[in-house]
PDB file of all heavy atoms in Angstrom:
ATOM      1  N   SER K  43     -19.324 -45.183 105.250  1.00 91.00           N
ATOM      2  CA  SER K  43     -18.623 -44.913 103.997  1.00 91.00           C
ATOM      3  C   SER K  43     -19.468 -45.262 102.779  1.00 91.00           C
ATOM      4  O   SER K  43     -19.443 -44.559 101.768  1.00 91.00           O
ATOM      5  CB  SER K  43     -17.311 -45.701 103.942  1.00 91.00           C
ATOM      6  OG  SER K  43     -16.409 -45.241 104.926  1.00 91.00           O
ATOM      7  N   LEU K  44     -20.222 -46.352 102.879  1.00 91.00           N
ATOM      8  CA  LEU K  44     -21.009 -46.814 101.739  1.00 91.00           C
ATOM      9  C   LEU K  44     -22.446 -46.306 101.760  1.00 91.00           C
ATOM     10  O   LEU K  44     -23.189 -46.523 100.810  1.00 91.00           O
ATOM     11  CB  LEU K  44     -21.006 -48.350 101.693  1.00 91.00           C
ATOM     12  CG  LEU K  44     -19.647 -49.001 101.424  1.00 91.00           C
ATOM     13  CD1 LEU K  44     -19.770 -50.512 101.447  1.00 91.00           C
ATOM     14  CD2 LEU K  44     -19.073 -48.537 100.101  1.00 91.00           C
ATOM     15  N   GLY K  45     -22.834 -45.674 102.851  1.00 91.00           N
ATOM     16  CA  GLY K  45     -24.191 -45.138 102.921  1.00 91.00           C
ATOM     17  C   GLY K  45     -25.251 -46.206 103.058  1.00 91.00           C
ATOM     18  O   GLY K  45     -26.348 -46.079 102.507  1.00 91.00           O
ATOM     19  N   VAL K  46     -24.935 -47.281 103.789  1.00 89.00           N
ATOM     20  CA  VAL K  46     -25.888 -48.380 103.981  1.00 89.00           C
ATOM     21  C   VAL K  46     -25.964 -48.709 105.464  1.00 89.00           C
ATOM     22  O   VAL K  46     -25.251 -48.141 106.286  1.00 89.00           O
ATOM     23  CB  VAL K  46     -25.466 -49.638 103.187  1.00 89.00           C
ATOM     24  CG1 VAL K  46     -25.456 -49.353 101.702  1.00 89.00           C
ATOM     25  CG2 VAL K  46     -24.090 -50.141 103.638  1.00 89.00           C
ATOM     26  N   GLY K  47     -26.829 -49.635 105.814  1.00 89.00           N
ATOM     27  CA  GLY K  47     -26.961 -50.072 107.188  1.00 89.00           C
ATOM     28  C   GLY K  47     -25.913 -51.117 107.558  1.00 89.00           C
ATOM     29  O   GLY K  47     -25.299 -51.741 106.697  1.00 89.00           O
ATOM     30  N   ARG K  48     -25.740 -51.300 108.863  1.00 89.00           N
ATOM     31  CA  ARG K  48     -24.756 -52.279 109.335  1.00 89.00           C
ATOM     32  C   ARG K  48     -25.132 -53.691 108.914  1.00 89.00           C
ATOM     33  O   ARG K  48     -24.255 -54.524 108.670  1.00 89.00           O
ATOM     34  CB  ARG K  48     -24.636 -52.198 110.849  1.00 89.00           C
ATOM     35  CG  ARG K  48     -23.951 -50.927 111.342  1.00 89.00           C
ATOM     36  CD  ARG K  48     -23.862 -50.897 112.858  1.00 89.00           C
ATOM     37  NE  ARG K  48     -23.103 -52.027 113.367  1.00 89.00           N
ATOM     38  CZ  ARG K  48     -23.008 -52.333 114.659  1.00 89.00           C
ATOM     39  NH1 ARG K  48     -23.651 -51.591 115.562  1.00 89.00           N
ATOM     40  NH2 ARG K  48     -22.293 -53.367 115.057  1.00 89.00           N
ATOM     41  N   SER K  49     -26.441 -53.973 108.816  1.00 87.00           N
ATOM     42  CA  SER K  49     -26.850 -55.323 108.414  1.00 87.00           C
ATOM     43  C   SER K  49     -26.398 -55.630 106.990  1.00 87.00           C
ATOM     44  O   SER K  49     -26.017 -56.764 106.673  1.00 87.00           O
ATOM     45  CB  SER K  49     -28.370 -55.481 108.531  1.00 87.00           C
ATOM     46  OG  SER K  49     -29.038 -54.572 107.687  1.00 87.00           O
ATOM     47  N   THR K  50     -26.431 -54.616 106.115  1.00 88.00           N
ATOM     48  CA  THR K  50     -25.957 -54.800 104.739  1.00 88.00           C
ATOM     49  C   THR K  50     -24.464 -55.107 104.726  1.00 88.00           C
ATOM     50  O   THR K  50     -24.001 -56.014 104.013  1.00 88.00           O
ATOM     51  CB  THR K  50     -26.238 -53.539 103.906  1.00 88.00           C
ATOM     52  OG1 THR K  50     -27.647 -53.328 103.845  1.00 88.00           O
ATOM     53  CG2 THR K  50     -25.696 -53.690 102.493  1.00 88.00           C
ATOM     54  N   ILE K  51     -23.698 -54.371 105.524  1.00 92.00           N
ATOM     55  CA  ILE K  51     -22.260 -54.626 105.618  1.00 92.00           C
ATOM     56  C   ILE K  51     -21.994 -56.021 106.162  1.00 92.00           C
ATOM     57  O   ILE K  51     -21.121 -56.748 105.672  1.00 92.00           O
ATOM     58  CB  ILE K  51     -21.582 -53.572 106.522  1.00 92.00           C
ATOM     59  CG1 ILE K  51     -21.673 -52.190 105.879  1.00 92.00           C
ATOM     60  CG2 ILE K  51     -20.134 -53.949 106.815  1.00 92.00           C
ATOM     61  CD1 ILE K  51     -20.969 -52.079 104.550  1.00 92.00           C
ATOM     62  N   ARG K  52     -22.781 -56.406 107.149  1.00 89.00           N
ATOM     63  CA  ARG K  52     -22.596 -57.733 107.755  1.00 89.00           C
ATOM     64  C   ARG K  52     -22.790 -58.833 106.703  1.00 89.00           C
ATOM     65  O   ARG K  52     -22.002 -59.786 106.625  1.00 89.00           O
ATOM     66  CB  ARG K  52     -23.586 -57.896 108.906  1.00 89.00           C
ATOM     67  CG  ARG K  52     -23.239 -59.025 109.868  1.00 89.00           C
ATOM     68  CD  ARG K  52     -24.146 -58.979 111.083  1.00 89.00           C
ATOM     69  NE  ARG K  52     -23.981 -57.725 111.817  1.00 89.00           N
ATOM     70  CZ  ARG K  52     -24.969 -56.875 112.069  1.00 89.00           C
ATOM     71  NH1 ARG K  52     -26.184 -57.125 111.655  1.00 89.00           N
ATOM     72  NH2 ARG K  52     -24.742 -55.765 112.749  1.00 89.00           N
ATOM     73  N   GLU K  53     -23.839 -58.693 105.873  1.00 86.00           N
ATOM     74  CA  GLU K  53     -24.088 -59.702 104.841  1.00 86.00           C
ATOM     75  C   GLU K  53     -22.988 -59.680 103.788  1.00 86.00           C
ATOM     76  O   GLU K  53     -22.560 -60.736 103.293  1.00 86.00           O
ATOM     77  CB  GLU K  53     -25.445 -59.452 104.177  1.00 86.00           C
ATOM     78  CG  GLU K  53     -26.646 -59.535 105.104  1.00 86.00           C
ATOM     79  CD  GLU K  53     -26.759 -60.858 105.833  1.00 86.00           C
ATOM     80  OE1 GLU K  53     -26.200 -61.857 105.335  1.00 86.00           O
ATOM     81  OE2 GLU K  53     -27.392 -60.891 106.896  1.00 86.00           O
ATOM     82  N   ALA K  54     -22.502 -58.492 103.445  1.00 87.00           N
ATOM     83  CA  ALA K  54     -21.431 -58.393 102.453  1.00 87.00           C
ATOM     84  C   ALA K  54     -20.155 -59.064 102.969  1.00 87.00           C
ATOM     85  O   ALA K  54     -19.464 -59.776 102.229  1.00 87.00           O
ATOM     86  CB  ALA K  54     -21.167 -56.926 102.126  1.00 87.00           C
ATOM     87  N   LEU K  55     -19.850 -58.860 104.235  1.00 91.00           N
ATOM     88  CA  LEU K  55     -18.659 -59.485 104.813  1.00 91.00           C
ATOM     89  C   LEU K  55     -18.800 -61.002 104.849  1.00 91.00           C
ATOM     90  O   LEU K  55     -17.813 -61.732 104.645  1.00 91.00           O
ATOM     91  CB  LEU K  55     -18.409 -58.943 106.221  1.00 91.00           C
ATOM     92  CG  LEU K  55     -17.964 -57.472 106.291  1.00 91.00           C
ATOM     93  CD1 LEU K  55     -17.867 -57.021 107.744  1.00 91.00           C
ATOM     94  CD2 LEU K  55     -16.628 -57.272 105.579  1.00 91.00           C
ATOM     95  N   ARG K  56     -19.999 -61.477 105.095  1.00 86.00           N
ATOM     96  CA  ARG K  56     -20.210 -62.927 105.078  1.00 86.00           C
ATOM     97  C   ARG K  56     -19.985 -63.483 103.677  1.00 86.00           C
ATOM     98  O   ARG K  56     -19.420 -64.569 103.503  1.00 86.00           O
ATOM     99  CB  ARG K  56     -21.626 -63.244 105.561  1.00 86.00           C
ATOM    100  CG  ARG K  56     -21.787 -63.114 107.070  1.00 86.00           C
ATOM    101  CD  ARG K  56     -23.201 -63.410 107.499  1.00 86.00           C
ATOM    102  NE  ARG K  56     -23.346 -63.331 108.944  1.00 86.00           N
ATOM    103  CZ  ARG K  56     -24.365 -62.781 109.568  1.00 86.00           C
ATOM    104  NH1 ARG K  56     -25.357 -62.256 108.879  1.00 86.00           N
ATOM    105  NH2 ARG K  56     -24.424 -62.737 110.882  1.00 86.00           N
ATOM    106  N   ALA K  57     -20.440 -62.737 102.656  1.00 83.00           N
ATOM    107  CA  ALA K  57     -20.219 -63.180 101.282  1.00 83.00           C
ATOM    108  C   ALA K  57     -18.724 -63.211 100.963  1.00 83.00           C
ATOM    109  O   ALA K  57     -18.234 -64.143 100.319  1.00 83.00           O
ATOM    110  CB  ALA K  57     -20.959 -62.262 100.314  1.00 83.00           C
ATOM    111  N   LEU K  58     -17.996 -62.201 101.426  1.00 89.00           N
ATOM    112  CA  LEU K  58     -16.553 -62.166 101.190  1.00 89.00           C
ATOM    113  C   LEU K  58     -15.838 -63.285 101.942  1.00 89.00           C
ATOM    114  O   LEU K  58     -14.863 -63.847 101.449  1.00 89.00           O
ATOM    115  CB  LEU K  58     -15.993 -60.808 101.609  1.00 89.00           C
ATOM    116  CG  LEU K  58     -16.451 -59.605 100.773  1.00 89.00           C
ATOM    117  CD1 LEU K  58     -15.904 -58.320 101.365  1.00 89.00           C
ATOM    118  CD2 LEU K  58     -16.025 -59.755  99.321  1.00 89.00           C
ATOM    119  N   ALA K  59     -16.329 -63.596 103.131  1.00 86.00           N
ATOM    120  CA  ALA K  59     -15.759 -64.713 103.884  1.00 86.00           C
ATOM    121  C   ALA K  59     -15.993 -66.018 103.131  1.00 86.00           C
ATOM    122  O   ALA K  59     -15.114 -66.881 103.062  1.00 86.00           O
ATOM    123  CB  ALA K  59     -16.365 -64.778 105.282  1.00 86.00           C
ATOM    124  N   GLY K  60     -17.187 -66.151 102.544  1.00 79.00           N
ATOM    125  CA  GLY K  60     -17.490 -67.346 101.769  1.00 79.00           C
ATOM    126  C   GLY K  60     -16.606 -67.482 100.547  1.00 79.00           C
ATOM    127  O   GLY K  60     -16.331 -68.599 100.089  1.00 79.00           O
ATOM    128  N   ALA K  61     -16.146 -66.342 100.019  1.00 80.00           N
ATOM    129  CA  ALA K  61     -15.246 -66.362  98.863  1.00 80.00           C
ATOM    130  C   ALA K  61     -13.792 -66.544  99.274  1.00 80.00           C
ATOM    131  O   ALA K  61     -12.895 -66.592  98.425  1.00 80.00           O
ATOM    132  CB  ALA K  61     -15.389 -65.064  98.068  1.00 80.00           C
ATOM    133  N   GLY K  62     -13.550 -66.642 100.599  1.00 85.00           N
ATOM    134  CA  GLY K  62     -12.198 -66.873 101.078  1.00 85.00           C
ATOM    135  C   GLY K  62     -11.321 -65.641 101.126  1.00 85.00           C
ATOM    136  O   GLY K  62     -10.099 -65.749 101.228  1.00 85.00           O
ATOM    137  N   LEU K  63     -11.932 -64.440 101.088  1.00 89.00           N
ATOM    138  CA  LEU K  63     -11.161 -63.203 101.079  1.00 89.00           C
ATOM    139  C   LEU K  63     -10.922 -62.645 102.479  1.00 89.00           C
ATOM    140  O   LEU K  63      -9.897 -62.007 102.723  1.00 89.00           O
ATOM    141  CB  LEU K  63     -11.861 -62.145 100.216  1.00 89.00           C
ATOM    142  CG  LEU K  63     -11.878 -62.414  98.713  1.00 89.00           C
ATOM    143  CD1 LEU K  63     -12.770 -61.410  98.006  1.00 89.00           C
ATOM    144  CD2 LEU K  63     -10.459 -62.368  98.150  1.00 89.00           C
TER     145      LEU K  63
END
Side-chain angles (χ1 to χ4, degrees):
S43 294
L44 295 178
V46 297
R48 289 180 60 188
S49 61
T50 298
I51 294 298
R52 197 171 299 122
E53 299 303 337
L55 291 175
R56 284 179 178 138
L58 293 176
L63 291 172

